[in-house]
Amino acid sequence: MADLPAAVLDTLSTVAIELPSWAFGNSGTRFRVWPSAGTPRTVQEKLADAAQVHAYTGAAPSVALHIPWDTVDDYAALRALAEDLGVRLGTINSNTFQDEAYKFGSLTSSDPGARRAAVEHHLECIEIMHATGSRDLKIWLADGANYPGQNDLRRRQDNLATSLAEIYAALGPEQRLVLEYKFFEPAFYSTDVPDWGTAYAHVLALGDRAMVCLDTGHHAPGTNIEQIVTTLLRLGKLGSFDFNSRFYADDDLIVGAADPYQLYRIMVEVVRGGGLDAGSGVALMLDQCHNIEAKIPGQIRSVLNVLEATAKALLLDRAALEAAQDANDVLAANEIFMDAFWTDVRPALAAWREERGLPADPQKAFGESGYLEKIAADRVGGTQAGWGA
Ligand code: RM4
Ligand code: MN
C-alpha cells in the first residue's frame, strides 16, 4: 500500500466540497422523473440528508441552495438548523429559468420588464445571502436563442453587462458574484454566456469580487477543461467548480465516474495554480443529480471521487516532472504524470479517515446506519424536487 506523505494528508484535510441541495430531491430527464424512497418533504430534510454526507466523509461541510427551490420563511432559522446538523449554508444559486416571465431571456432580455424581474430576483438572493451567511451568488442563465436572427446578439451582451453591474453593486463587501457559462442548452443556436471567455469578459468588467464558475459538464466534447482551469487560475478569476461528469452533454452524472483521468488532470492544475491554498477562494462544489441511484450514497461516492483525484494530484512528483519537462524528456514527463494517477490511494485514505475518527469505508458505514430505511419509512409522499421534476 502506498503511504501518503503527511503534507498530502494535511492539504487533503482542508479540502471542503460543497453539496447541492438539489441533489437530494427527485430528479429525472425530460422523459421521466423517478421518485425515490425517502425523498425530502422540506428544505430542512434536504439539509439533514446533506449532513449525512458530511458526517460520513468529513469533507462536505456546506450546502448550496437554489432559489426559489429552497425558499423558506426564515433563513436565519435555516442557517441555525444547518449549524445544528453540523454543516453550513453555502452558495446561493439564482434561478431565472423556470418562470413564464423569462421565456425569452432574463438578465439579457430585450424586454425591460423581464430584465427588471431578473435583477430583482438577484437582489432578493443577496438579501437571503445576508441571512444565510453565504459568500457566493452563483448565476447561471438559460438565456439565448434557438434561431439565427431571433436576438440581437450584441444588444444581449450590453443588457447582460448592465444587469450584472446592478447586481454586483448590491453585494456586501465579503460577497462575490460567480458567473457560470454553458455552451448550449436550453437555447441551441446561441447561448448568451456560452464559454469561459464571455464569462471572464463580464466578471473582469465588474470587479475583484466577480469570478467565473466552471461546470465540468458545460463544454463541447473534446474540450481541454484543465487548460481552462489553468488559464482562469492564472488570471485570478476561477471562483468555483460545479463538478459532475458527462459522456455526451450536460449529463450531470457522478463526478469522476465517466472519466477519472480527466478529474485527476483538472485537480493537477488546481494544485499547480494554488487553488487549494488557504484563502485561494476556489470553491469546489458538486452540481449533480441522481436520477436512478440513491442520492445520499451518490453524493458520498462523488465526494470520495474528488478526494481520491485530489490525493493523486497532490502525490504528483512536481520536482521530477519539472526536471523532465525542462529536459524535454517527453516520455519521462508523461510517466511521472501517469505514476501519480495510477497510484491506488484508496487504502491510505481509508486509514487516514480512521485516524480522524471517520469510517474507513463511508459508503459501507452509511449503508449499515439504517438512515435510508428510516427516511423511506418516515417521509412518505416527499416531493422536494431537483431539476427535471
Ligand atoms: C444548470 C447549471 C446550474 C444548475 C442548474 C440546475 O445547467 O449547471 O449550475 O444550478 O443547471
Ligand atoms: Mn452548474
Side-chain angles (χ1 to χ4, degrees):
M1 167 180 124
D3 273 335
L4 294 178
V8 168
L9 296 176
D10 284 350
T11 305
L12 215 54
S13 61
T14 67
V15 170
I17 300 157
E18 186 159 304
L19 308 182
S21 71
W22 52 100
F24 301 96
N26 283 335
S27 64
T29 65
R30 63 201 170 92
F31 299 103
R32 164 117 178 113
V33 171
W34 304 102
S36 56
T39 299
R41 291 162 298 187
T42 61
V43 178
Q44 289 79 357
E45 288 181 347
K46 288 192 236 179
L47 293 184
D49 289 0
Q52 290 291 307
V53 179
H54 184 47
Y56 284 87
T57 63
S62 62
V63 189
L65 302 181
H66 224 293
I67 305 296
W69 296 342
D70 295 318
T71 302
V72 292
D73 291 336
D74 186 345
Y75 289 96
L78 194 70
R79 177 184 188 166
L81 172 76
E83 281 159 16
D84 283 349
L85 291 166
V87 293
R88 58 187 171 70
L89 301 178
T91 304
I92 298 295
N93 291 252
S94 63
N95 177 330
T96 57
F97 48 87
Q98 288 177 311
D99 207 292
E100 193 58 31
Y102 306 131
K103 184 171 178 183
F104 299 107
S106 63
L107 295 180
T108 71
S109 174
S110 54
D111 170 6
R115 282 208 306 279
R116 178 89 326 252
V119 169
E120 292 295 334
H121 169 65
H122 285 88
L123 301 183
E124 190 192 317
C125 287
I126 294 173
E127 286 305 314
I128 293 170
M129 290 164 69
H130 289 309
T132 54
S134 304
R135 179 187 62 175
D136 291 350
L137 171 65
K138 191 165 96 217
I139 305 179
W140 173 73
L141 300 171
D143 298 19
N146 277 351
Y147 297 99
Q150 180 186 329
N151 291 332
D152 181 325
L153 299 182
R154 167 67 187 262
R155 187 145 59 94
R156 304 280 283 195
Q157 293 301 317
D158 295 340
N159 289 343
L160 179 58
T162 311
S163 301
L164 288 175
E166 187 176 346
I167 297 164
Y168 185 76
L171 289 173
E174 308 295 331
Q175 295 174 337
R176 310 191 309 177
L177 182 159
V178 186
L179 183 60
E180 180 175 353
Y181 60 93
K182 181 174 183 176
F183 85 116
F184 86 112
E185 200 193 36
F188 292 107
Y189 161 63
S190 86
T191 302
D192 290 321
V193 189
D195 50 30
W196 75 266
T198 306
Y200 175 71
H202 281 285
V203 299
L204 190 67
L206 291 173
D208 286 348
R209 284 173 297 109
M211 315 284 280
V212 177
C213 169
L214 186 157
D215 184 312
T216 48
H218 290 188
H219 304 88
T223 302
N224 184 337
I225 297 175
E226 58 271 27
Q227 196 163 19
I228 300 173
V229 171
T230 285
T231 299
L232 287 172
L233 277 167
R234 182 174 169 272
L235 296 167
K237 283 293 188 191
L238 182 62
S240 59
F241 279 99
D242 271 5
F243 280 129
N244 50 60
S245 70
R246 51 77 66 77
F247 289 96
Y248 291 102
D250 192 22
D251 305 352
D252 288 315
L253 298 174
I254 289 174
V255 57
D259 188 350
Y261 179 42
Q262 180 187 59
L263 181 59
Y264 162 74
R265 298 195 309 265
I266 289 172
M267 293 316 300
V268 165
E269 294 309 318
V270 170
V271 172
R272 166 74 177 84
L276 295 186
D277 296 356
S280 84
V282 177
L284 308 178
M285 296 194 20
L286 304 179
D287 181 13
Q288 301 177 178
C289 53
H290 303 285
N291 296 344
I292 52 172
E293 67 275 27
K295 297 168 198 289
I296 298 170
Q299 290 282 286
I300 291 176
R301 178 74 265 153
S302 308
V303 168
L304 298 182
N305 285 357
V306 174
L307 288 175
E308 285 165 20
T310 307
K312 289 168 190 244
L314 289 165
L315 216 47
L316 175 59
D317 186 343
R318 287 196 168 278
L321 181 64
E322 231 179 273
Q325 289 169 343
D326 288 349
N328 284 320
D329 193 339
V330 175
L331 291 181
N334 181 246
E335 195 174 316
I336 293 162
F337 194 84
M338 297 310 293
D339 252 355
F341 173 66
W342 288 118
T343 307
D344 185 359
V345 296
R346 292 172 301 175
L349 292 185
W352 167 69
R353 264 191 285 275
E354 254 182 337
E355 273 164 34
R356 296 157 69 231
L358 291 163
D361 183 343
Q363 201 66 286
K364 185 161 168 274
F366 174 72
E368 288 167 0
S369 73
Y371 185 89
L372 276 185
E373 292 74 10
K374 186 171 180 321
I375 59 172
D378 288 353
R379 298 180 184 169
V380 176
T383 54
Q384 286 289 309
W387 58 67

